[in-house]
């Protein structure tokens, strides 16, 4: 009796272990799928709100007017510690001013036109960036999965010594397991440089909270701002004495005169309407992978210097390059198309890799039909749930419950797949895969 109990306990333990493994694969699949979709982040915003005013450029005086208009619309002056002006860019030719409490699109004269309503695009970004969890937990988890992709890529190469030699050996015309395994292996090879670049940068971005917090605790007495200051620059001391709004015009004029090859695309006003306020301009450098350089100015436009993202230490320039390399925010539409193609390939690799694992268990006499059914539900459920949230955005508007709807539809799809498996009385439909190499 005790032996039977032990065997049953072991079996349940193995089932639990397999289920946990499937959850990890599911999250990895979700991250890859949403990462592919979020490449079009700016395009989604334009699609969501097509009536927002668009322009190719905006005059410094209009930027200042927009800042003053938005600050005047704040119900509580003390709630806004930062104000952000998104300048028109090729990908998103709009001027949007954001505070801690609200965001507006303004026209070419700086007049407020309409509230910003891009909740679906923001939901999609948060889903990929942190799985809709609090930032410190979600980004750490996503960063860990980035490291997992690196490990899977390297171990896949080691496990298939002929993988590069057979890079173009594709038996796709066959309708059996061999063709499916070939697709998995070939797509993995073709997308390997992309997968490594995305995974490494994703791990760096996602594990920022862990690494930054550890550095702050060990070397900076727990001061997180001091820990990142050598990379992104130090924050000026606050002086909350009331003062007139800082003037962004001389700062933008200075940029046009002294840095004509740099394109300002963000104006940040720190601690607006206080004596300690200061202006920071983020400028894009052509033919550079960095997301930009920080140019610091006083409240009247006096230039204080740069942070060093463009010409500082190697570490600074590397840190400034991870964001664009990860999200494909460089090179325009051709690069975005390439990221979408390779992102889809990576998503397929994850999906088929899990089917290979499930069928390997079956060949070893340990079939897991319920896990296979759940995986089918996951593979179909993610695009279905994303489509459901997008339809809700069109039907309900900016206030649709995107997070609840996405996870609810995804869970429902998995449950339906499990019920169909139970009601059919047979194994869930899945490709029977065997090693092809």
């Amino acid at each position: 009796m005790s032996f039977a109990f032990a065997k049953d306990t072991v079996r349940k333990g193995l089932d639990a272990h397999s289920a946990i493994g499937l959850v990890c694969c599911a999250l990895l699949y979700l991250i890859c799928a949403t990462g592919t979709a979020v490449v079009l982040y700016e395009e989604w915003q334009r699609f969501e709100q097509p009536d927002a005013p668009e322009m190719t450029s905006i005059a410094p005086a209009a930027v200042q007017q927009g800042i003053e208009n938005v600050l005047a619309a704040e119900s509580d002056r003390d709630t806004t510690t930062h104000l952000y002006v998104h300048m028109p860019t090729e990908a998103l030719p709009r001027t949007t001013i954001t505070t801690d409490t609200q965001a507006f699109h303004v026209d070419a004269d700086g007049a407020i036109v309409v509230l910003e309503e891009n909740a679906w695009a923001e939901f999609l970004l948060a889903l990929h960036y942190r799985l809709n969890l609090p930032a410190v937990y979600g980004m750490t988890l996503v960063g860990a999965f980035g490291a997992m992709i690196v490990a899977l890529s390297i171990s896949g190469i080691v496990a298939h010594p002929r993988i590069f030699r057979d890079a173009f050996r594709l038996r796709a015309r066959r309708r059996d397991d061999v063709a499916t395994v070939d697709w998995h292996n070939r797509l993995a090879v073709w997308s390997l440089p992309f997968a490594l670049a995305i995974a490494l940068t994703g791990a760096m971005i996602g594990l920022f909270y862990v690494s930054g917090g550890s550095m702050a605790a060990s070397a900076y007495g727990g001061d997180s701002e001091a820990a990142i200051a050598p990379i992104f620059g130090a924050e000026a001391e606050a002086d909350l004495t009331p003062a007139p709004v800082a003037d962004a015009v001389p700062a933008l004029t200075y940029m046009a005169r002294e840095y004509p090859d740099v394109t300002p695309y963000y104006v940040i006003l720190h601690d607006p309407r206080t004596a300690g306020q200061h202006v920071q301009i983020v400028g894009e450098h052509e033919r550079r992978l960095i997301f930009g350089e920080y140019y610091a100015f006083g409240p009247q436009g006096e230039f204080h210097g740069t942070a060093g993202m463009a010409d500082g230490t190697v570490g600074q320039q590397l840190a400034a390059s991870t964001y664009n390399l990860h999200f494909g925010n460089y090179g325009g539409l051709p690069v975005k198309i390439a990221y979408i193609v390779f992102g889809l390939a990576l998503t397929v690799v994850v999906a088929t890799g899990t089917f290979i694992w499930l069928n390997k268990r079956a060949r070893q006499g340990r079939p897991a039909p319920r896990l296979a059914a759940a995986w089918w539900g996951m593979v179909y459920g993610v695009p279905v749930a994303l489509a459901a949230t997008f339809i809700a955005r069109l039907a309900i508007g900016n206030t649709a419950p995107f997070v609840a709807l996405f996870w609810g539809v995804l869970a429902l799809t998995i449950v339906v797949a499990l019920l169909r498996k139970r009601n059919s009385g047979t194994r869930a439909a899945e490709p029977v895969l065997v090693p092809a190499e």
Side-chain angles (χ1 to χ4, degrees):
M1 181 68 68
S2 61
F3 177 71
F5 175 78
K7 286 182 63 176
D8 186 62
T9 301
V10 170
R11 181 183 61 79
K12 290 182 178 180
L14 289 173
D15 288 344
H17 177 77
S18 299
I20 293 172
L22 191 66
V23 169
C24 292
C25 293
L27 292 178
L28 188 59
Y29 172 77
L30 174 60
I31 292 168
C32 292
T34 54
T36 303
V38 87
V39 170
L40 297 174
Y41 176 64
E42 292 88 358
E43 286 76 10
W44 291 126
Q45 292 184 66
R46 297 180 72 181
F47 187 86
E48 274 194 86
Q49 201 169 12
D51 59 338
E54 296 196 342
M55 63 214 73
T56 57
S57 63
I58 184 170
V63 172
Q64 182 63 25
Q65 185 62 56
I67 291 173
E68 294 178 4
N69 289 341
V70 170
L71 286 174
E74 295 282 85
S75 58
D76 186 351
R77 334 173 27 104
D78 297 328
T79 58
T80 297
T81 59
H82 292 83
L83 179 144
Y84 305 88
V85 182
H86 172 273
M87 308 277 280
T89 63
E90 182 179 356
L92 191 61
R94 299 176 173 182
T95 301
T96 308
I97 302 180
T98 305
T99 70
D100 295 333
T101 59
Q102 56 191 342
F104 294 101
H105 295 298
V106 302
D107 63 17
D109 296 322
I112 294 175
V113 177
V114 64
L115 279 167
E116 182 187 46
E117 294 186 340
N118 59 345
W120 189 83
E122 294 298 329
F123 152 76
L124 180 63
L125 183 63
L127 180 59
H128 172 70
Y129 216 72
R130 51 185 176 86
L131 299 174
N132 297 133
L133 296 171
V136 64
Y137 303 111
M139 290 183 65
T140 301
L141 183 60
V142 172
F145 277 102
M148 184 185 296
I149 293 178
V150 176
L152 288 171
S153 300
I154 295 174
S155 62
I157 296 172
V158 174
H160 299 83
R162 299 190 313 173
I163 196 167
F164 289 106
R165 188 179 70 183
D166 295 338
F168 297 98
R169 185 183 176 216
L170 183 63
R171 293 159 288 187
R173 292 184 178 180
R174 298 179 57 162
R175 292 181 174 272
D176 59 8
D177 51 312
V178 175
T180 307
V181 173
D182 274 0
W183 274 116
H184 174 84
N185 290 338
R186 301 320 157 231
L187 288 176
V189 173
W190 298 338
S191 63
L192 181 61
F194 172 83
L196 288 175
I198 294 300
L200 285 170
T201 54
M204 291 173 64
I205 296 170
L207 296 176
F208 170 78
Y209 279 96
V210 174
S211 58
S214 299
M215 183 182 298
S218 61
Y220 292 91
D223 188 344
S224 57
E225 290 188 1
I228 64 174
I231 300 176
F232 298 104
E235 183 80 20
E237 280 193 35
D239 182 350
L240 301 182
T241 305
V245 179
D247 191 357
V249 173
L252 289 168
T253 304
Y254 181 92
M255 290 294 299
R257 183 179 68 251
E258 300 296 330
Y259 296 94
D261 297 329
V262 175
T263 303
Y265 69 96
Y266 253 106
V267 177
I268 306 172
L269 179 54
H270 298 259
D271 299 319
R273 296 181 291 199
T274 70
Q277 65 190 327
H278 55 284
V279 177
Q280 200 172 42
I281 294 178
V282 185
E284 180 183 18
H285 289 234
E286 291 187 14
R287 303 185 181 277
R288 293 291 304 276
L289 197 56
I290 59 172
F291 68 82
E293 174 65 280
Y294 290 119
Y295 298 84
F297 296 86
Q300 301 305 317
E302 55 275 23
F303 182 56
H304 290 168
T306 63
M309 314 303 288
D311 55 4
T313 64
V314 174
Q316 282 182 290
Q317 296 184 53
L318 178 62
S321 300
T322 56
Y323 296 93
N324 281 350
L325 183 58
H326 185 77
F327 291 105
N329 296 331
Y330 63 95
L333 186 60
V335 171
K336 287 193 173 188
I337 293 174
Y339 267 62
I340 291 171
V341 171
F342 285 116
L344 288 173
L346 185 57
T347 305
V348 172
V349 168
V350 173
T352 54
T354 305
F355 281 126
I356 292 173
W357 172 70
L358 288 167
N359 284 276
K360 183 179 180 180
R361 285 175 52 98
R363 292 194 306 275
Q364 293 173 343
R366 298 183 295 114
R370 286 178 294 183
L371 287 178
W375 183 245
W376 272 114
M378 182 70 190
V379 170
Y380 287 119
V382 169
V384 169
L386 285 175
T389 58
F390 190 72
I391 292 172
R393 171 63 179 89
L394 299 178
I396 301 174
N398 208 52
T399 59
F402 300 114
V403 174
L405 183 61
F406 174 83
W407 292 104
V409 171
L410 179 58
L412 179 62
T413 307
I414 295 173
V415 169
V416 169
L418 289 170
L419 290 176
R420 289 184 62 186
K421 160 65 189 69
R422 189 182 68 176
N423 294 336
S424 67
T426 60
R427 288 184 64 193
E430 59 182 274
V432 180
L433 308 177
V434 297
E437 302 182 15

